[in-house]
């Protein structure tokens, strides 16, 4: 063997090893609770109080109430209700990189909904991502998380869903092109990325922590948005909760990292955010998170919120670039802000300052505070621009409200005001362009 | 029951604490000088002072007022700056339909209290949130300058 | 005498919304009979407009509604001028409903609009004052046994200089009531005017600075409850079903009312009502117009523009408008909302056999009749309390809201104040229509030898005041097109009536001339451009028999520094007009950024509205009118998707804010001509002036409003 040839072979071997390791890392990811160490045991073997099902407050409630509580904890309504549509009748579009998918009707209508499904079929869909006709479901449906739910809880949800008004509404076909329209590929995906195991508590941890883990990982499926995705579109649990994306919005780092995560948040901050969508000086849940709060976390009992907080505070810190350190207070006088963006300033003074104030501390209610808000300190300004485009809430309902400025303000204008806001109130000025805004409009 | 100080007097109202201050003033206290224009903090017609700071009462739940002093257009004349602004408004015939003007006067008075000599940029920054459909902007600007001079 | 003034040519031909056929003098005698309460002889009530108590306190009854235009002050000045009444301390009162006593001399009905107030009331109100003055003088002369000719009046008193005696009007109140009014009162010589032509502070403003002014929305009858309503999202829709299970249990919600085409909630506060309404799930039957969209509106308009239309002016241009040298263009205006600062509202109390209404309306008697119809009563059984208006702009010429409020009130025990949310106010209203103008001109040797203008749009007059529409030509719709300041050798002006589907159209500040002046002035610049001439020089040559037009053109362009150097991508644009009996020219200056963003930096206007009754008030109206027009030019846009209006509040229906303001300068021409209208001309001039300035700055001529930044940016790159 000539040295030359040996070199080639060595190189080839190195490449091969690298590829294998790479593939291995891509295909085999740590489980959701792997970070916690200890021993994961079967639910039946866990010694503490009950971890699944409804919280103690609802112990004596009727099955429908319980099912409803669980359906809220799993936030079925958000995805399975179209804007302005009937609850659970589906039809809400999700734009994915390879096309648009529409959520199906899960009302009890026998033809277009799931009224005719057997319990086994329902369980199979939720746990394994397999549809009634055996077709593979796309993981936009978070079965990789829901698979952790117990059979009893899934069937309790089913029981509740069978009591909601049946709506006759045909499902909309998705718009995927080849090869993404090949549903069987999802079977391979599932083999690797859907563990298809029920929740296994960590023996060494408290019942409260395990309850929190069940709610966050299984029901709340938080990781689906907050965990970055691998090339294979699986949740990259090696960077668990380090931040991801959802419908054009940034889903922020919720690890224990003090700088880029929520390590510096007090338990009260976290509880308030989950229960009310807002934590003083931390920001307001917006976009998909606002929906998650409105339809799910805000409806949970204080003990369950506390359990989620307990669990979330144990997520190991992972630092991410998207979230730099928060800027401190902003100047209260109008003239003191960034001077290179007069257009942005003008829009801010007309449409924004009445609520947010020149200091960014909120002029009327605390939830209007911009300083200390993660979105405002995110130099991509994605969530700021999305918020300006989409607004939040409605004027007659309590809770955060901001109108949508989409209709009357140009791409250039929205970009300039978003850049003004990050420059004035955030850690680093953003450089959102009109073209970026044009794309965001389509989300 | 919510109690608060409005124009130097303590008042109590039996109302849901979520109710915006605007509607408590107008509908329950009969103080109709504060106007409803948009309900979403985009027009400024409902501007009042909370401890001297201009605030949109249409978005302020009455339960959040607490012990901060509320001042409305009915009471702004008893502050020296407020009286000066009112006089400047009359001197220059600023007002047309007048519907926005309670809010304009409250915003202008708060501006001058914080900044006795505002320049054009300061005036824009403080007043651009107050819409006037009649288009009295030229005179509002002049009125603020006049009230500043006479301070 | 009044007839002589009011039948002046320009009034008939212009903004008077219907012209001569509608003329009606104010009937002073009938007023006298109707209002002089028997036995109350301590008060001098010579007619329906003046009351002077024995303590000298004077009250003037205002037949026109004050909505910011300053008409209370203007009309009071006319009366006070002839009556020599000091204006300080005068009480101004809104007139009750009566076409007979208070009908607008131009419309015949008690309506405020079309910039007609000064035109219509200039003579009648002066006669009212002069007549009352004659009676007071006669009473004093009788008491002193002197010749009335030897008496004079000053500051609310009759004086007899030879004897040094004087009596205040208050002291003469009872005696003057017994005098006969003169058949033809003698009016002052204009050279003696002490009020007219001199700026007077507005009389309605002190209460507007301290929160005491009462608008319709401030009405507070004892025991009033508060309501808000939802109308169908698609015009002509109906309620199919509602789910109010959540709303019912909200605090402060009292009553839920479901009618065939609206849902209302009554509450302890307006907020409770609004929150309650938001909690109701309403299913609507959209009816026939769910397929209407902005595109279909413009397509239909274009289709309509293909038809011939009714001929308004034909001086032989048609045959010339063919072949080489013919230039053509089409200009379009979008749907617009009025969005007055005071949202729509109406307070109603119905008791057996009676209906009481508190509202700010531009149309008192129409309001009374509409309320009567909906309440199932006669107009006499309806009392309307008119209020100050927080912005009309044409919106309060409509009684749709009054009808709805009365229908709601029929089901409510006690008085109920219905307040529209801003979302309802902007999203479900009568709108300024879409309009189109098809323009053609033929150039020969750098001169336009033929001109044609086809205006396409609805007739609002035809619905609003049917007798004023002859079925062929709507005078308002062709105002500004039928007669221009230009002497074209031949012209051909037509009007195509086109009622857009799925929207209710309404008057909007500037009415017909908005389209016609925009189109004419844009097209004049276009033709000047083709002729390679300066727009000012081109206009100067075209103006023939209109010295007043030439004067305002000269003043405005000179003050604006026409021809002076400008920074790059800046331009000046002219808009010249004769409408509403007033000549006006505006020069706009703009600067256009690379991304197509337009900033209007300066507006210079010269206006000749005849005798300027209250010059500062005129300046104020022009300033405001320009801002209103700028809002439309820069941002104004109501769009429809699936029959639904997309805009709802000031975040998506943008209007000018203070920081977008250009420098504004207004120059008022003084002359002794009869007054023209002033509320609308300023608004009308904006779009032409600004678009011409953009044209000058960039070479891009915009044909459809509002200004489209993206379109300019694209053309700039091309
Ligand atoms: S009503 Fe409050 S800002 Fe418009
Ligand atoms: S004065 Fe009418 S809205 Fe400002």
């Amino acid at each position: 063997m000539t040295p030359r040839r040996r070199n080639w072979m060595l190189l080839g071997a190195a490449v091969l090893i690298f590829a294998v390791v790479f593939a291995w890392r891509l295909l085999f990811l740590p489980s959701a609770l792997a970070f916690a160490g200890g021993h994961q045991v079967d639910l039946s073997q866990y010694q503490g109080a009950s971890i699944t099902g409804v919280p103690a407050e609802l112990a004596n409630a009727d099955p429908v109430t319980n099912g409803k509580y669980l359906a809220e904890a799993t936030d079925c309504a958000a995805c399975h209700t179209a804007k302005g549509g009937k609850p659970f009748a589906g039809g809400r579009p999700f734009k994915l990189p390879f096309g648009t998918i529409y959520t199906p009707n899960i009302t009890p209508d026998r033809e277009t909904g799931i009224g005719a499904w057997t319990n086994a079929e329902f369980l199979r869909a939720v746990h394994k991502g397999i549809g009634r006709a055996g077709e593979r479901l796309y993981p936009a449906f978070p079965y990789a998380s829901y698979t952790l739910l117990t059979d009893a809880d899934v069937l309790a949800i089913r029981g509740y869903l069978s009591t909601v008004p049946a709506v006759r509404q045909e499902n909309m076909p998705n718009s995927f092109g080849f090869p993404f329209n090949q549903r069987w590929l999802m079977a391979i995906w599932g083999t690797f990325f859907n563990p298809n195991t029920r929740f296994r508590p960590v023996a060494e941890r408290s019942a409260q922590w395990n309850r929190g883990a069940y709610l966050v990982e299984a029901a709340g499926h938080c990781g689906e948005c907050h965990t970055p995705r691998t090339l294979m579109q699986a949740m990259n649990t090696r960077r668990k909760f380090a931040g991801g994306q959802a419908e054009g919005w940034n889903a922020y780092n919720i690890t224990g990292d003090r700088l880029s995560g929520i390590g510096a948040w007090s338990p009260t901050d976290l509880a308030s955010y989950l229960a009310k969508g807002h934590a003083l000086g931390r920001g307001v849940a917006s976009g998909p998170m606002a929906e998650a709060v409105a339809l799910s976390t805000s409806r949970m009992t204080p003990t369950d919120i506390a359990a989620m907080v307990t669990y979330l505070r144990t997520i190991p810190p992972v630092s991410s670039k998207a979230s730099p350190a928060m800027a401190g207070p902003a100047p209260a006088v109008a003239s003191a802000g960034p001077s290179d963006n007069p257009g942005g300033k003008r829009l801010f003074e007309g449409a924004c300052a009445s609520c947010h104030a020149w200091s960014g501390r909120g002029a009327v209610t605390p939830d209007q505070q911009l300083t200390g808000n993660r979105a405002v300190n995110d130099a991509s300004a994605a969530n700021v621009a999305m918020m300006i485009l989409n607004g939040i809430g409605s004027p007659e309902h309590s809770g955060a409200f901001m109108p949508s400025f989409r209709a009357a303000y140009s791409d250039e204008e929205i970009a300039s005001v978003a850049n003004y806001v990050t420059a004035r109130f955030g850690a680093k000025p953003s450089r959102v362009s009109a073209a970026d805004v044009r794309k965001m409009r389509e989300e | 029951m919510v109690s608060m100080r409005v124009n130097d007097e303590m008042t109590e109202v039996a109302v849901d604490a979520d109710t915006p201050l605007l509607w408590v003033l107008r509908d329950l206290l009969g103080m109709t000088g504060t106007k409803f224009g948009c309900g979403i903090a985009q027009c400024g017609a409902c501007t009042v002072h909370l401890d001297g700071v201009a605030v949109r009462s249409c978005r302020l739940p009455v339960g959040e007022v607490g012990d901060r002093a509320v001042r409305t257009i009915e009471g702004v004349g008893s502050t020296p700056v407020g009286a000066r602004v009112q006089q400047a408004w009359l001197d220059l015939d600023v007002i047309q339909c007048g519907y926005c003007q309670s809010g304009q006067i409250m915003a202008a008075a708060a501006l001058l209290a914080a900044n006795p000599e505002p320049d054009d940029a300061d005036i824009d920054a403080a007043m651009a949130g107050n819409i006037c459909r009649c288009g009295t902007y030229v005179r509002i600007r002049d009125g603020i300058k006049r009230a500043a001079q006479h301070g | 005498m009044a007839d002589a003034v009011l039948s002046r040519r320009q009034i008939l031909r212009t903004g008077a919304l219907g012209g001569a056929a509608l003329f009606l003098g104010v009937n002073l005698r009938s007023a006298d009979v109707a209002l002089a309460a028997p036995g109350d002889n301590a008060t001098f009530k010579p007619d329906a407009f003046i009351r002077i108590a024995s303590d000298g306190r004077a009250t003037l009854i205002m037949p026109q509604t004050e909505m910011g235009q300053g008409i209370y002050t203007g009309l009071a000045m006319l009366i006070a001028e002839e009556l020599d009444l000091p204006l300080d301390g005068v009480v101004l009162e809104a007139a009750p409903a009566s076409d007979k006593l208070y009908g607008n001399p131009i419309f015949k009905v008690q309506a405020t609009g079309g910039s007609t107030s000064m035109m219509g009331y200039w003579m009648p109100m002066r006669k009212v004052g002069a007549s009352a003055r004659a009676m007071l003088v006669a009473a004093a002369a009788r008491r002193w046994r002197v010749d009335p000719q030897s008496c004079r009046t000053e500051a609310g008193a009759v004086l007899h200089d030879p004897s040094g005696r004087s009596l205040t009007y208050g002291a003469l109140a009872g005696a003057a009531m017994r005098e006969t009014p003169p058949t033809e009162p003698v009016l002052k010589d204009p050279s003696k005017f002490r009020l007219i032509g001199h700026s007077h502070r507005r009389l309605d403003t002190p209460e507007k600075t301290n929160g005491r002014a009462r608008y319709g929305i401030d009405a507070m009858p004892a025991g009033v409850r508060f309501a808000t309503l939802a109308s169908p999202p698609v015009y002509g829709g109906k309620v199919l079903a509602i789910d109010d299970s959540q709303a019912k249990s909200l605090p402060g919600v009292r009553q839920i009312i479901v009618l065939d085409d609206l849902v209302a909630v009554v509450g302890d506060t307006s907020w409770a009502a609004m929150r309650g309404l938001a909690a109701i799930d309403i299913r609507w039957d959209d009816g026939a117009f769910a397929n209407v969209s902005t595109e279909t509106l413009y397509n239909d308009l274009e289709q309509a523009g293909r038809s011939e239309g009714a001929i308004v002016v034909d001086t032989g241009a048609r045959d010339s408008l063919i072949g080489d040298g013919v230039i053509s263009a089409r200009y379009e205006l979008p749907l617009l909302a009025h969005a007055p600062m005071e949202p729509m509202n109406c307070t109603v109390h119905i008791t057996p056999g009676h209906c009481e209404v508190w509202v700010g309306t531009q149309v008192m008697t129409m309001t009374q009749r509409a309320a009567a119809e909906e309440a199932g009563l006669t107009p006499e059984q309806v009392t309307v309390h008119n209020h100050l208006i927080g912005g009309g702009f044409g919106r309060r010429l409509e009684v749709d809201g009054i009808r709805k409020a009365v229908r709601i009130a029929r089901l409510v025990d006690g008085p109920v104040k219905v307040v529209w949310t801003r979302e309802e106010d902007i999203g479900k209203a009568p709108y300024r229509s879409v309009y189109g103008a098809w323009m053609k001109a033929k150039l020969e040797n750098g001169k336009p030898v033929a001109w044609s203008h086809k205006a396409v749009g609805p007739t609002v007059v035809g619905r609003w005041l049917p007798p004023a529409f002859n079925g062929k030509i709507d005078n308002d719709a062709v105002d500004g097109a039928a007669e221009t300041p230009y002497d074209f050798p031949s012209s051909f002006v037509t009007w195509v009536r086109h009622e857009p589907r799925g929207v209710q159209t309404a008057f909007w500040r500037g009415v017909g001339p908005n389209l016609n002046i925009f189109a004419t002035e844009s097209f004049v610049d276009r033709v000047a451009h083709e002729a390679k001439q300066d727009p000012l020089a081109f206009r100067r040559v075209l103006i023939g028999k209109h010295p007043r037009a030439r004067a305002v053109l000269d003043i405005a362009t000179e003050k604006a520094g026409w021809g002076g150097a400008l920074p790059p991508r800046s331009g000046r644009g002219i808009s010249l007009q004769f409408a509403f009996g007033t000549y006006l020219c505006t020069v706009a200056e703009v600067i256009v950024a690379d991304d197509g963003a337009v900033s209007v930096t300066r507006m210079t206007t010269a206006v000749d509205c005849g005798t300027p009754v209250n010059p500062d008030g005129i300046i104020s109206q022009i300033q405001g009118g320009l801002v209103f027009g700028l809002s439309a030019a820069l941002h104004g846009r109501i769009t429809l998707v699936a029959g639904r209006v997309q805009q709802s509040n000031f975040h998506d229906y943008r209007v000018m804010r203070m920081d977008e303001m250009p420098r504004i300068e207004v120059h008022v021409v003084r002359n002794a001509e009869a007054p023209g209208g002033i509320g609308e001309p300023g608004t009308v001039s904006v779009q032409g002036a600004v678009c011409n300035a953009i044209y000058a700055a960039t070479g891009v001529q915009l044909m459809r409003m509002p200004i489209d930044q993206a379109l300019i940016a694209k053309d700039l790159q091309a």
Side-chain angles (χ1 to χ4, degrees), chain C residues 557-627:
Chain C
T557 48
E558 190 218 306
K559 300 282 184 190
W562 186 265
L566 283 171
R569 273 233 184 104
S570 301
R572 294 192 185 92
I574 299 174
S575 181
L576 175 66
Q577 74 193 47
F578 171 53
F580 310 99
T582 290
Y583 293 85
L584 182 141
C585 179
T586 293
V587 178
E589 204 173 296
V590 305
I591 182 157
V592 182
D594 290 343
D595 64 1
V598 173
S599 312
V600 182
T601 52
R602 191 175 167 196
M603 307 279 279
T604 313
T605 298
V607 57
D608 169 2
C609 58
T611 303
V613 175
N614 186 5
D616 190 52
I618 290 169
I619 294 175
S620 187
Q621 278 304 290
I622 297 295
Q623 290 170 334
L626 292 175
V627 174

Side-chain angles (χ1 to χ4, degrees), chain C residues 378-464:
Chain C
T378 64
E380 294 70 39
Q381 292 172 300
V382 176
T383 310
V384 183
H385 306 274
N386 205 358
H387 285 69
L388 291 171
I389 288 184
F393 316 125
R395 179 66 183 93
R396 288 179 164 92
L397 286 168
E398 300 294 336
V399 295
D400 56 316
I402 289 135
R403 288 184 185 278
K404 286 176 182 165
V406 172
R407 289 167 62 208
I408 292 166
R410 287 185 76 158
L411 301 171
V412 178
D413 200 13
V416 60
K417 167 152 59 177
V418 188
V419 174
W420 275 236
T421 59
R422 178 60 71 187
E423 288 74 11
E424 282 287 315
D425 181 290
I426 288 184
K428 300 162 189 180
Y431 298 100
R432 199 284 297 274
S433 179
V434 285
Y435 285 97
W438 276 249
M439 311 295 292
K440 267 190 192 168
K442 170 123 171 168
L443 264 182
E444 266 174 33
N445 307 321
K447 283 209 180 108
V449 293
W451 176 269
S452 90
H453 182 149
K454 181 193 282 177
V456 184
T459 172
V460 184
V461 173
R463 168 181 61 81
W464 186 79

Side-chain angles (χ1 to χ4, degrees), chain C residues 21 117 120 138 146 162 200 221 233 315 318 336 341 409 442 505 531 533 589:
Chain C
S117 301
V146 299
H200 197 287
T315 53
R318 246 182 306 179
L336 289 178
M341 278 316 288
K442 170 123 171 168
T505 62
Q533 288 180 42
E589 204 173 296

Side-chain angles (χ1 to χ4, degrees), chain B residues 76-77 79-91 105 109 112-113 115-116 143-144 146-151:
Chain B
V76 80
T79 68
V81 184
R84 251 172 25 232
V85 172
Q86 286 172 326
Q87 190 55 48
W89 253 234
L90 292 176
D91 292 346
I105 289 170
L112 287 171
N115 179 358
I144 291 173
R146 184 182 178 94
Q149 274 161 21
H150 291 70

Side-chain angles (χ1 to χ4, degrees), chain C residues 486-565:
Chain C
Y486 308 116
D487 289 335
F488 300 114
S490 65
S491 48
F492 184 61
V493 178
T494 52
W495 177 63
V496 178
R497 177 177 177 179
H498 168 64
E499 306 288 343
R501 290 179 73 236
V503 286
Q504 170 74 68
T505 62
F507 293 121
W508 190 92
R509 191 179 193 175
V511 290
N514 269 328
L515 169 73
N516 296 323
I517 304 297
F518 167 53
T520 301
E521 289 304 288
S522 294
F523 196 53
V524 164
D525 263 41
R526 173 74 196 284
V527 176
H529 183 82
E530 298 288 337
K532 303 199 172 35
Q533 288 180 42
D534 172 70
L536 172 58
F538 190 70
R539 280 181 175 79
R540 279 225 180 97
V541 172
L542 280 176
I543 294 175
K545 303 182 231 51
H546 292 274
R548 292 172 70 187
R550 172 180 275 270
V552 292
L553 175 68
D554 286 347
I555 296 170
T557 48
E558 190 218 306
K559 300 282 184 190
W562 186 265

Side-chain angles (χ1 to χ4, degrees), chain A residues 381-403:
Chain A
N383 289 16
V384 171
M386 288 294 278
M387 187 75 157
I388 297 167
L389 278 174
N390 297 306
I392 185 176
S394 76
E396 292 88 3
H397 294 114
S398 47
F401 164 72
M402 172 165 152

Side-chain angles (χ1 to χ4, degrees), chain A residues 12-34:
Chain A
V15 168
L16 194 67
I17 291 166
F18 181 79
V20 167
V21 169
F22 184 77
W24 184 269
R25 282 181 64 87
L26 207 54
L27 295 177
F28 300 96
L29 291 158
S31 75
L33 297 188

